[in-house]
Amino acid sequence: MAGLHTALAVLTDGAILLFEYTGVAVIVVTGILGIVGCIRRDPMTRLRLAKGMALGLEFKLGSEILRTVVVREFTEILLVGAIILLRAALTLLIHWEIKNEEQATGEQQTEL
């Protein structure tokens, strides 16, 4: 039984690291592309930046959800729960911004 627990912990830790690094990479690449788009004055920069940030946060949120599998104490569960709530709130805000930006972009294209 201890071997199964160890295998689960190793698998979970590896998946957490993979999701964390992927989320960070997505956010960094999106930020760099956002800077390039801003320099080029691309009108779609805000929308692309928001979508990239939302995707990066989804990976980070996935790692936090996996982290709940290996927690052992109630205080750790509370901490992970608080982090999940904060990241979920950020994701909702970004999705709201994406929706508003898509509507604004659609209205601008209709006027042309």
Side-chain angles (χ1 to χ4, degrees):
M1 191 62 132
L4 290 175
H5 182 69
T6 303
L8 177 66
V10 168
L11 177 66
T12 305
D13 288 342
I16 288 170
L17 283 175
L18 177 66
F19 287 159
E20 289 280 336
Y21 281 120
T22 303
V24 169
V26 167
I27 291 171
V28 168
V29 169
T30 299
I32 291 169
L33 293 175
I35 292 169
V36 170
C38 193
I39 291 170
R40 292 182 177 174
R41 300 197 189 283
D42 181 5
M44 298 297 289
T45 299
R46 285 183 59 145
L47 184 58
R48 289 186 189 122
L49 189 58
K51 285 183 177 182
M53 294 294 171
L55 180 62
L57 277 173
E58 292 292 336
F59 279 106
K60 301 284 284 171
L61 187 58
S63 72
E64 292 301 333
I65 291 170
L66 280 175
R67 203 175 307 271
T68 63
V69 172
V70 293
V71 294
R72 298 222 172 230
E73 298 177 13
F74 188 70
T75 55
E76 291 178 8
I77 291 173
L78 288 176
L79 181 62
V80 170
I83 292 170
I84 288 172
L85 285 176
L86 286 172
R87 290 197 176 156
L90 279 172
T91 302
L92 286 174
L93 277 169
I94 290 173
H95 282 291
W96 177 75
E97 179 69 28
I98 290 170
K99 181 181 171 187
N100 287 339
E101 193 65 32
E102 286 175 337
Q103 287 176 349
T105 304
E107 289 172 5
Q108 287 175 356
Q109 289 178 353
T110 307
E111 291 175 4
L112 296 176

